[in-house]
């Protein structure tokens, strides 16, 4: 009989979450390194270089890989012979571990969880509660997998009830282009097949906890129909040419995982959930001997990829930026921004546009005329940092506000991640503006370009407040130019099938 102590569960969950906030898994690093080595699209290669450099910096600096430090998802397998020395129930223990991890003074993580999701959406301030899946199994161990799942990738999850005669691979190939780049590829796809509606979703999520091993599978060849399906989806998705950050390139997925379960004769439930460039999970077992320990990965694991500002990129001074210069930016052009940027995301946009549309003044000191906005919700700084990791958030959530921001608000250009909707691209062309992208999953690297930060408006919104950042050589790419050309359309179209026959990433 094993005695599991409450303190061991809490400490292990807290340590696990701190660990995955700054360490990618070794399999992920190897697969991303292989993708970098094979990539032939310059834009995608540059994005992967930023992701790898960011990953190493985070491992060295013990700071989060991404500003979105995720919703915590925990899979627990409780041995039926386990005994407890605890005053809390299991969910309360796990949530206490989450609280301690996210409030850790040396590496405070961003609290992203909101309660009352349909209405008030108030931040719970400590990232609780976790989403917890518990199974009772034979044995006397407590087996836990802890993951921190980014909102951008979770938002792209898909589910369908197919006809039993439908092709699962064809359906996945239909939905991946609809996901766009908001899930920050390259990453993984988890596919769940069978069971009931909720079981298929759970299988898809669970499959993402497995290590990346498609290289070994490709080398030895498939032995089961599910392995054949993994390979088929992997190869067909990569042939779509979506590429890193949706810029067009060879590697969109580093692996495809599939789990299945028996289902009703009339049904074929299928779910697909992507995992992003900030793939974060770790597994541990408690056997009563104390809390889990986590070993730091060897830094030699990281490939020798050290992204630095590209001398051939155009340097842009944001202070006194003229509309004519914005209009001269070419689609796909790499820029290095220096000067002052304003920030804002969903909640601030909602307030600003409500004020403007009702004819009211913006708060004192908040003026977007001639300015560039960065869609970001940074992690709080620690030590002598100016700001914590501060990568871009998915821009299309701001689409409904863009015409107002570019018109009455007077904004010149925007920085975010992933594609914009067609109406927004049209609004950008109408206002002769531009939309720039930074690399999702390179948040610590981007934060290194931020030299000063101050809150300008709505401080009560926390990470959603409007800040003014002073940046130096912040790397971005022109995603939509003033004439409305979008690289998220032209990039994948150019790379789709271009390298048919060239092997895609393997570990
Ligand atoms: S890498 Fe992209 S999808 Fe993943 S957590 Fe970061 S911003 Fe979100």
């Amino acid at each position: 009989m094993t005695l599991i102590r409450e303190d061991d569960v809490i400490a292990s969950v807290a340590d696990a979450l701190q660990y995955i906030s700054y360490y990618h898994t070794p399999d992920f690093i190897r697969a991303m390194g292989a993708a970098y080595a094979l990539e032939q699209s310059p834009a995608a290669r540059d994005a992967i270089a930023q992701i790898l450099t960011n990953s190493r910096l985070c491992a060295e600096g013990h700071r989060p890989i991404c500003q979105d430090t995720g919703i915590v998802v925990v899979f627990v397998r409780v041995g039926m012979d386990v005994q407890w020395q605890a005053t809390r129930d299991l969910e309360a223990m796990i949530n206490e571990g989450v609280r301690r991890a996210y409030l850790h003074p040396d590496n405070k993580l961003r609290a992203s969880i909101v309660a009352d999701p349909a209405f008030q959406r108030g931040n719970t301030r400590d990232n609780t509660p976790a989403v917890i899946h518990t199974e009772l199994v034979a044995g006397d161990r407590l087996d836990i997998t802890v993951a921190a799942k980014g909102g951008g990738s979770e938002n792209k999850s898909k589910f369908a009830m197919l006809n039993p005669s439908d092709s699962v691979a064809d359906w996945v190939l239909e939905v991946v282009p609809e996901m766009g780049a908001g899930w920050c590829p390259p990453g993984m796809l988890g596919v769940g097949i069978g069971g009931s509606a909720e079981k298929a979703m759970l299988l898809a999520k669970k499959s993402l906890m497995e290590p990346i091993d498609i290289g070994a599978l490709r080398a030895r060849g498939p032995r089961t129909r599910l392995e054949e399906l993994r390979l088929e989806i992997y190869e067909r998705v990569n042939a779509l040419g979506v590429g890193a950050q949706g810029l067009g390139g060879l590697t969109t997925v580093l692996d495809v995982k599939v789990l299945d379960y028996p289902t009703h004769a009339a049904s074929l439930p299928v779910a697909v959930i992507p995992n992003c460039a900030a793939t974060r999970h770790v597994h541990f077992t408690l056997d009563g001997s104390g809390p889990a320990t986590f070993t730091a990965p060897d830094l030699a694991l990281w490939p020798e990829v050290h992204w630095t500002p590209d001398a051939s990129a155009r340097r842009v001074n944001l202070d006194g930026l003229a509309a004519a210069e914005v209009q001269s930016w070419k689609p796909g052009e790499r820029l290095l921004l220096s000067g002052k940027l304003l920030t804002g995301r969903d909640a601030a946009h909602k307030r600003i546009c409500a004020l403007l549309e009702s004819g009211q003044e913006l708060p004192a000191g908040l003026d977007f005329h001639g300015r560039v906005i960065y869609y970001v919700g940074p992690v709080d700084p620690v030590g002598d940092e100016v700001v914590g990791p501060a990568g871009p958030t998915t821009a299309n959530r701001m689409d409904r506000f863009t015409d107002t921001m570019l018109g009455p608000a007077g904004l010149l250009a925007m920085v975010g991640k992933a594609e914009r909707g067609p109406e927004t691209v049209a609004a950008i062309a109408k206002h002769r503006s531009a939309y720039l992208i930074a690399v999702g999953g390179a948040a610590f690297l981007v934060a290194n370009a931020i030299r000063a930060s101050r809150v300008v408006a709505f401080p009560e919104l926390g990470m959603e407040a409007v800040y003014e950042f002073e940046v130096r050589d912040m790397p971005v790419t022109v995603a939509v130019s003033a004439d409305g050309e979008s690289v998220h359309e032209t990039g994948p179209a150019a790379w789709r099938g271009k390298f048919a026959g060239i092997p895609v990433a393997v570990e």
Side-chain angles (χ1 to χ4, degrees), residues 73-77 91 94 131-135 202 205:
V73 180
V74 183
F75 293 92
V76 196
R77 289 162 59 84
E91 294 214 347
I94 291 170
V131 176
I132 301 167
H133 305 287
T134 309
E135 281 175 83
L202 192 56
K205 180 61 67 66

Side-chain angles (χ1 to χ4, degrees), residues 186-269:
M188 297 165 71
L189 292 183
V191 182
I193 306 171
S196 49
E198 83 284 6
K199 181 72 178 179
M201 292 302 287
L202 192 56
L203 290 168
K205 180 61 67 66
K206 216 172 174 178
S207 75
L208 293 169
M209 305 299 123
E210 295 173 3
I212 294 173
D213 63 357
I214 203 129
L217 174 57
R218 295 180 89 209
R220 73 157 160 79
R223 292 186 188 134
T224 65
R225 296 289 299 276
L226 284 186
E227 288 182 349
E228 281 173 20
L229 182 63
R230 277 180 67 194
L231 286 175
E232 179 186 349
I233 295 173
Y234 173 77
E235 281 164 17
R236 289 177 64 191
V237 167
N238 280 327
L240 290 173
V242 174
Q245 304 291 306
L247 292 165
L250 279 179
T251 303
T252 305
V253 285
L254 302 170
D255 201 346
V256 175
K257 297 295 184 185
V258 181
L259 286 177
D260 73 343
Y261 194 82
T263 190
H264 192 286
S267 309
L268 181 54

Side-chain angles (χ1 to χ4, degrees), residues 9-313:
V9 175
I10 295 170
S12 303
V13 169
D15 290 352
L17 285 165
Q18 277 286 310
Y19 183 88
I20 61 175
S21 77
Y22 44 74
Y23 291 136
H24 273 127
T25 57
D27 52 287
F28 186 88
I29 297 159
R30 276 194 288 268
M32 194 65 89
Y36 175 79
L38 283 168
E39 189 53 72
Q40 298 182 30
S41 151
R45 195 172 155 85
D46 185 70
I48 296 173
Q50 289 193 43
I51 290 167
L52 282 167
T53 304
N54 181 72
S55 175
R56 177 193 283 272
L57 289 173
C58 295
E60 287 169 346
H62 289 191
R63 291 294 277 144
I65 294 165
C66 190
Q67 79 288 339
D68 180 355
T69 49
I71 182 168
V72 178
V73 180
V74 183
F75 293 92
V76 196
R77 289 162 59 84
V78 184
M80 291 173 73
D81 294 331
V82 158
Q83 282 218 327
W84 297 93
Q85 189 180 85
T87 54
R88 296 169 164 98
D89 63 37
L90 181 59
E91 294 214 347
M93 289 180 229
I94 291 170
N95 283 324
E96 181 57 26
V98 173
R99 187 171 294 118
R100 288 189 195 175
Y102 278 72
L103 299 178
H104 196 296
D106 297 339
N107 181 34
K108 200 172 171 210
L109 307 178
R110 198 184 83 183
S112 305
I113 302 306
V114 295
D116 191 14
F119 300 103
Q120 287 295 322
R121 298 185 66 82
N123 195 300
T124 63
R125 303 275 169 204
D126 57 11
N127 221 51
T128 63
V131 176
I132 301 167
H133 305 287
T134 309
E135 281 175 83
L136 278 177
V137 298
D140 61 356
R141 300 281 191 270
L142 186 65
D143 187 86
I144 299 184
T145 300
V146 172
K149 186 68 163 59
S153 56
E154 193 67 4
N155 288 351
K156 301 299 177 183
S157 306
K158 305 281 181 193
F159 171 80
M161 277 290 184
L162 301 184
N163 285 320
S165 58
D166 288 341
S167 157
V168 170
D170 287 353
W171 176 74
V172 174
L173 265 290
E174 240 174 75
V175 299
V176 167
E178 292 167 14
M179 291 179 184
W183 62 281
C184 295
M188 297 165 71
L189 292 183
V191 182
I193 306 171
S196 49
E198 83 284 6
K199 181 72 178 179
M201 292 302 287
L202 192 56
L203 290 168
K205 180 61 67 66
K206 216 172 174 178
S207 75
L208 293 169
M209 305 299 123
E210 295 173 3
I212 294 173
D213 63 357
I214 203 129
L217 174 57
R218 295 180 89 209
R220 73 157 160 79
R223 292 186 188 134
T224 65
R225 296 289 299 276
L226 284 186
E227 288 182 349
E228 281 173 20
L229 182 63
R230 277 180 67 194
L231 286 175
E232 179 186 349
I233 295 173
Y234 173 77
E235 281 164 17
R236 289 177 64 191
V237 167
N238 280 327
L240 290 173
V242 174
Q245 304 291 306
L247 292 165
L250 279 179
T251 303
T252 305
V253 285
L254 302 170
D255 201 346
V256 175
K257 297 295 184 185
V258 181
L259 286 177
D260 73 343
Y261 194 82
T263 190
H264 192 286
S267 309
L268 181 54
V270 188
V272 59
I273 303 181
N275 216 352
C276 57
T279 286
R280 295 167 288 212
H281 55 85
V282 70
H283 168 254
F284 58 90
T285 301
L286 298 185
D287 60 5
S289 62
T293 52
F294 301 94
T295 310
D298 185 347
L299 285 177
L301 260 176
W302 275 262
E304 287 300 327
V305 178
H306 304 273
W307 183 91
T308 51
D310 181 349
S312 66

Side-chain angles (χ1 to χ4, degrees), residues 279-438:
T279 286
R280 295 167 288 212
H281 55 85
V282 70
H283 168 254
F284 58 90
T285 301
L286 298 185
D287 60 5
S289 62
T293 52
F294 301 94
T295 310
D298 185 347
L299 285 177
L301 260 176
W302 275 262
E304 287 300 327
V305 178
H306 304 273
W307 183 91
T308 51
D310 181 349
S312 66
R314 187 198 299 215
R315 286 197 145 79
V316 173
N317 181 2
L318 295 168
D319 302 330
L321 181 65
E325 181 169 0
V326 172
Q327 289 156 17
S328 73
W329 297 340
K330 301 277 174 287
E333 188 176 3
R334 275 175 280 170
L335 311 178
L336 292 169
L337 306 180
S338 295
K340 294 191 176 70
L341 270 173
L342 291 170
T343 77
R345 39 177 285 162
D346 314 50
H349 275 79
K350 196 171 168 189
R351 287 195 189 184
I352 292 161
C353 291
L355 289 170
L356 290 172
E357 282 158 13
S358 61
Q360 296 180 64
E361 295 288 314
L362 295 185
L366 183 59
D367 183 359
F368 288 98
H369 286 90
R371 306 296 298 271
V372 174
I373 197 167
Y374 180 29
Y375 302 143
V376 63
V379 177
D380 285 345
V382 297
D384 56 5
E385 284 179 351
V386 163
V387 67
T393 197
T394 308
N396 63 16
R397 296 200 315 275
M398 266 51 78
D399 278 4
R400 55 192 281 227
F401 307 112
T402 299
D403 197 39
T404 305
M405 293 299 290
L406 295 179
L411 194 65
L412 264 187
M414 305 150 281
V415 183
K417 76 171 168 82
E419 67 287 338
R420 309 304 297 260
E423 286 175 11
T424 301
V425 172
I428 291 168
K430 180 178 89 180
H431 295 284
R432 304 287 293 151
S433 169
Y435 165 60
L436 314 171
I437 53 166

